[in-house]
Amino acid sequence: MKKRIGPYPSVRVEGGGRGVVSRAGAVLLVESVRKSGLDTAISAAPAPWRRPQAVHDPGKILLDVALAVALGGDCLANVAMLRAEPAVFGPVACDPTVSRLMDKLASGGERALVAIRMARAEVREHVRRLAGEAAPDADGQVIVDLDGVLVLAHSEKQDATATWKKTFGHHPLTGFVDHGRGGSGEPDGEVRDGAWVTELAGDCLTGWPKGLRLIVREERPHPGAQLRFADADGMRLTRFATNTIHTPIAELELRHRQRARAEDRIRAARATGLRNLPLRDAAQNQIWLEIVQIALDLPAWMPMLAMTGNARLWEPRRLRLRLFSAAAQLVSTGRRRIPRLAKHWPWTDVITDAPDRLHALPNPG
């Protein structure tokens, strides 16, 4: 009779195994890249900066870094995760090649940034057409949540300055397209008592764009809340601008308060490459921010195109824990390579059903 020591079984660990794929669930992101046409669009964007005899496609390098960030990486060197799994991610450039491309694109300045952004915009429109009624603009309205985020710097970084929280770093302005109740993170809201809402007009809006409405809300702060400099007479003041017409201001104010999910998106962004800016020069970090946006696009587009139910609401951290981190046995049949997931993994069905939905979509172009 063997006696177990402790609450967990004793396990020996050995190396040298073959036929196993780590992060096999990341095929969901790879298939989303293929079906959305992001690989083709991003490949064309940095073409002017490709060296004549380059082995690796600059667009593929950018996508590889973005995939590494989507999987939890926070620096360029984390692309090694993909390099270790060529059966899933194909050939991946070495670290010096990745660094040289970042320097090359950073030297391209605004031209390189515009090229990447135009490629993303083109693919974004295509993804929304594929999503149909699940797209965020299906009802003819797009809501963009804007908010700033502090990115701390723990070493010398160009353009890093002191922040109002007495820290040191950068303060990029972020914008997130709201995916509504069918997307990730939709809080409920209702009209509350103890608040007054009004619309300002006249001289207050001199010089503002035509049709813009300025809404101000005054309310009693909840117990323990700390008043801000702009608050007056013990009341909390919040204001927002909108060009929505023919809608009562109470409904507009309720819609604005439901924008609390912007904080959820910022939390997800911090967990997807925005925790720090890993490079020293500001131009390089601008390219990094473009990569972070691609890394945030993929976990937003993939559930919209391929998942149903509560799984569509999962944030990047949960997607990584339940789906992307799943390992698989690599089975080769003819010319096909099939990652075979463990039957007992609770979310195997989610991982295997999603590619079927992606494969049913028309190919780009």
Side-chain angles (χ1 to χ4, degrees):
M1 175 178 169
K2 294 184 178 180
K3 184 177 181 181
R4 177 180 293 181
I5 300 176
Y8 299 101
S10 179
V11 179
R12 287 188 59 185
V13 180
E14 296 180 352
R18 293 181 297 176
V20 178
V21 178
S22 302
R23 303 184 183 276
V27 297
L28 302 181
L29 295 178
V30 175
E31 287 301 314
S32 298
V33 167
R34 184 178 293 112
K35 281 295 183 177
S36 66
L38 185 62
D39 51 350
T40 303
I42 292 296
S43 178
W49 294 272
R50 180 171 184 168
R51 300 173 63 182
Q53 298 179 343
V55 175
H56 294 278
D57 179 6
K60 171 68 161 55
I61 296 175
L62 281 180
L63 278 178
D64 285 341
V65 178
L67 284 168
V69 173
L71 293 174
D74 60 0
C75 65
L76 298 178
N78 289 137
V79 78
M81 292 189 299
L82 279 62
R83 194 180 301 120
E85 300 296 350
V88 177
F89 303 105
V92 176
C94 63
D95 289 347
T97 300
V98 175
S99 296
R100 285 195 294 269
L101 176 63
M102 294 294 289
D103 292 339
K104 199 80 171 177
L105 293 177
S107 66
E110 190 69 19
R111 184 182 168 207
L113 295 175
V114 170
I116 297 173
R117 291 167 185 169
M118 290 181 64
R120 288 182 54 235
E122 174 188 338
V123 176
R124 186 186 306 119
E125 292 301 316
H126 177 63
V127 169
R128 291 179 182 175
R129 288 193 296 269
L130 292 177
E133 294 183 358
D137 60 349
D139 61 353
Q141 175 179 261
V142 176
I143 299 176
V144 180
D145 297 325
L146 300 175
D147 205 344
V149 55
L150 287 179
V151 181
L152 302 185
H154 299 285
S155 60
E156 189 76 18
K157 301 289 177 75
Q158 185 179 4
D159 292 345
T161 59
T163 72
W164 72 87
K165 288 192 174 182
K166 299 182 179 180
T167 56
F168 186 76
H170 301 83
H171 185 211
L173 179 65
T174 60
F176 299 93
V177 175
D178 179 35
H179 281 215
R181 296 184 181 274
S184 51
E186 174 70 17
D188 290 328
E190 59 183 13
V191 178
R192 296 183 297 192
D193 295 331
W196 297 264
V197 184
T198 187
E199 180 173 354
L200 301 185
D203 293 340
C204 296
L205 300 181
T206 301
W208 286 47
K210 186 177 180 180
L212 200 66
R213 304 171 67 184
L214 180 61
I215 313 298
V216 178
R217 173 187 174 90
E218 181 185 62
E219 66 175 336
R220 299 187 185 95
H222 63 270
Q226 188 174 10
L227 293 177
R228 298 166 297 193
F229 177 78
D231 297 332
D233 299 327
M235 303 293 285
R236 168 149 293 173
L237 298 176
T238 58
R239 70 284 294 166
F240 65 94
T242 179
N243 61 356
T244 303
I245 60 175
H246 306 311
T247 302
I249 59 175
E251 293 182 17
L252 292 173
E253 191 275 333
L254 171 60
R255 186 184 71 180
H256 175 71
R257 280 193 287 112
Q258 291 176 331
R259 304 278 70 73
R261 59 179 152 270
E263 298 294 335
D264 299 333
R265 305 287 73 75
I266 289 177
R267 183 178 64 249
R270 287 184 181 278
T272 313
L274 202 57
R275 184 182 63 84
N276 69 314
L277 299 180
L279 306 170
R280 186 185 184 281
D281 294 341
Q284 293 174 323
N285 282 323
Q286 283 185 309
I287 301 297
W288 175 261
L289 288 176
E290 296 301 318
I291 291 173
V292 168
Q293 291 178 74
I294 297 173
L296 288 168
D297 285 339
L298 292 175
W301 294 345
M302 186 273 293
M304 186 167 60
L305 296 176
M307 300 174 72
T308 59
N310 289 333
R312 283 199 61 196
L313 308 179
W314 293 350
E315 294 187 0
R317 282 180 175 173
R318 184 166 295 185
L319 289 170
R320 293 179 200 131
L321 178 66
R322 296 183 174 183
L323 305 186
F324 303 155
S325 64
Q329 178 187 9
L330 188 62
V331 180
S332 298
T333 59
R335 297 183 179 180
R336 300 180 62 190
R337 292 183 175 181
I338 303 174
R340 183 171 293 168
L341 298 161
K343 185 178 180 180
H344 62 268
W345 186 248
W347 302 281
T348 290
D349 290 344
V350 178
I351 301 174
T352 56
D353 290 346
D356 293 339
R357 298 188 184 95
L358 288 172
H359 293 158
L361 297 173
N363 291 321

